[in-house]
Structure formats: C-alpha cells, structure tokens
Amino acid sequence: MHHRTVEELMTRDVVRARRDTPFKELVRLLAENDVTAVPVVDELDRPMGVVSEADLLRKSADQADPSGRTPVPNLEAWERAKAEGSRAEELMSAPAVCARPEWSVVEAARLMESQHVKRLPVVDEADRLLGIVSRGDLLRIFLRRDEAIREEITGDVLRRTMGLDPRDVTVEVSDGRVTLGGIVEYRSLIPVIEQLCRRVDGVVSVAGHIDWRTDDARSPSGDN
C-alpha cells in the first residue's frame, strides 16, 4: 500500500520571514499571500518559530477599548512580551514544531494534535526549510475517489498483502466508507483485513460483514 507522505502534501513555495522582519511587514506578508501564518527562519533558512495571525492580534487585544465595553485582558508575562514586540523574533511562537518530508499523514497529524498547532514547517536533515504542511493539506487524502480506494483495497490489501482472491471478498466504497462482504477461510483473518483497510488513505470507516469457513478463534476446549 502507498501512503501519502508529508512531502507529497506540503506547500513547497513557502512565504517566510526573517527574525528582524517588522510587525507591519509581517501583516503585509499574511495579507498579500493569503496565509494565516509564516515560519521565521535564521540566516541558514532553519525555522526558529512561526508567526500567526493570533500572535499578531495580541497587539490589538492589549490596547484599551475606546468604547469601554471590554476590559484590557490580564495577559501573562510571555503574552505581554509578545503584545509589546515589534519584530518577528519577539512575536513568534517558538521553538518551531517541525515535520520531516518522509513522515506519514498519521505522524504529522499526531504531532499537530499533541503540540496544539495548525501547521508544521517541513525540514531536511540539516533542519533547512523545505515546505509547510497544514491541517487542510493532511485532510486532502479524504478527497480520494471512491473507485481509487476500492482498487487499492482489492489489489493491494486483499490480493498482494493477504494473498486472497478478491472475488471472495466484496468491497463497496461510498464517500470513503468501506463495506466488506463475502467469505474467507479463517475467522482470524477478518480483523486483519479490516485493520489494513482502515490504513488506506482516504478511508473514513470500515464495516465488515465477512463470513468464515473455519473458526480458528476457538480454543481447543471449544470455548470462545
């Protein structure tokens, strides 16, 4: 099975900032390039951090409300420093949380989730910036055609990986939802088939309705 990698999904033409990029230039970079964040790189093009709209918005949120309807937020020291910053290195969220180009979608998604970030700069072995991958990029695997998913399950999962005759197991795919049917020799094969199907890029869910000829899950005493 071929799993899409970060390298296949990432944006290669990355808008970036330098550590001394001023506040207004950062706002311009975001607006003119229609992006919500930019990596901040050093002289060797290695990501130091990321400046997002949220980082920049702290400067506005720290100002007094002319209407008097909302109080000035009680910012922590690090938030106050960002609100008062004027250059990228003072405003960015650091250190940069980065991914490698050979990573799978699962690896990248788990890192985003654990670090509570929406995007990952992608770096090479020398930690130089290669691209950037966002949550939206990772979700693109779910745009795969149902027929492409069905062909991968039938050819790669059933025939090449499991050594089964695809005629014995039926595969239906609708909006990424896989329904399996048919019959296999051993009951123990069913959870393996279902698990492999779940790993196919673009699969949303798997419902199994496969029968078996031999119940090899039973113990010698006949107990389940």
Side-chain angles (χ1 to χ4, degrees):
M1 293 183 291
H2 171 65
H3 293 288
R4 279 66 187 169
T5 64
V6 166
E7 185 173 17
E8 294 175 270
L9 298 169
M10 70 182 185
T11 298
R12 296 177 181 273
D13 186 14
V14 184
V15 181
R16 60 209 351 120
R18 300 294 175 180
R19 66 175 76 205
D20 59 351
T21 301
F23 182 94
K24 285 193 173 183
E25 176 65 13
L26 291 168
V27 176
R28 187 189 66 78
L29 281 174
L30 296 184
E32 291 187 355
N33 293 280
D34 194 26
V35 294
T36 59
V38 291
V40 181
V41 297
D42 64 13
E43 294 76 11
L44 298 177
D45 211 29
R46 298 175 302 193
M48 304 167 56
V50 174
V51 171
S52 68
E53 290 175 331
D55 294 320
L56 300 178
L57 195 59
R58 285 194 181 92
K59 187 170 290 293
S60 295
D62 192 43
Q63 306 300 315
D65 181 4
S67 69
R69 287 189 291 269
T70 57
V72 176
N74 184 22
L75 301 179
E76 296 185 17
W78 66 271
E79 293 175 305
R80 178 75 58 190
K82 279 194 175 187
E84 296 173 353
S86 61
R87 296 176 296 143
E89 64 181 347
E90 299 167 334
L91 297 158
M92 67 186 182
S93 296
V97 181
C98 299
R100 297 291 184 184
E102 68 274 12
W103 283 9
S104 68
V105 170
V106 173
E107 289 174 295
R110 285 179 176 173
L111 183 60
M112 285 186 188
E113 182 70 17
S114 66
Q115 297 297 314
H116 307 291
V117 296
K118 298 179 180 180
R119 62 198 63 80
L120 300 169
V122 184
V123 296
D124 63 14
E125 295 82 358
D127 291 331
R128 293 185 297 259
L129 186 64
L130 294 174
I132 193 164
V133 66
S134 68
R135 293 188 297 190
D137 294 327
L138 300 185
L139 287 172
R140 277 163 43 200
I141 65 169
F142 293 103
L143 297 178
R144 290 188 75 194
R145 295 181 300 106
D146 288 339
E147 183 59 23
I149 295 173
R150 193 192 70 80
E151 289 177 357
E152 183 169 343
I153 291 175
T154 300
D156 291 348
V157 174
L158 298 180
R159 186 169 63 247
R160 283 185 281 275
T161 301
M162 298 296 299
L164 299 173
D165 187 337
R167 292 174 296 183
D168 290 338
V169 179
T170 61
V171 181
E172 296 180 2
V173 184
S174 177
D175 291 330
R177 300 189 300 271
V178 177
T179 302
L180 303 172
I183 187 168
V184 294
E185 184 64 35
Y186 299 106
R187 183 180 182 181
S188 61
L189 293 177
I190 297 174
V192 178
I193 294 170
E194 293 177 353
Q195 184 60 32
L196 289 174
C197 288
R198 291 188 183 95
R199 295 178 183 176
V200 172
D201 286 349
V203 170
V204 175
S205 64
V206 176
H209 304 290
I210 305 175
D211 291 325
W212 62 90
R213 298 184 183 92
T214 303
D215 188 358
D216 59 339
R218 292 180 178 275
S219 65
S221 63
D223 298 328
N224 288 326

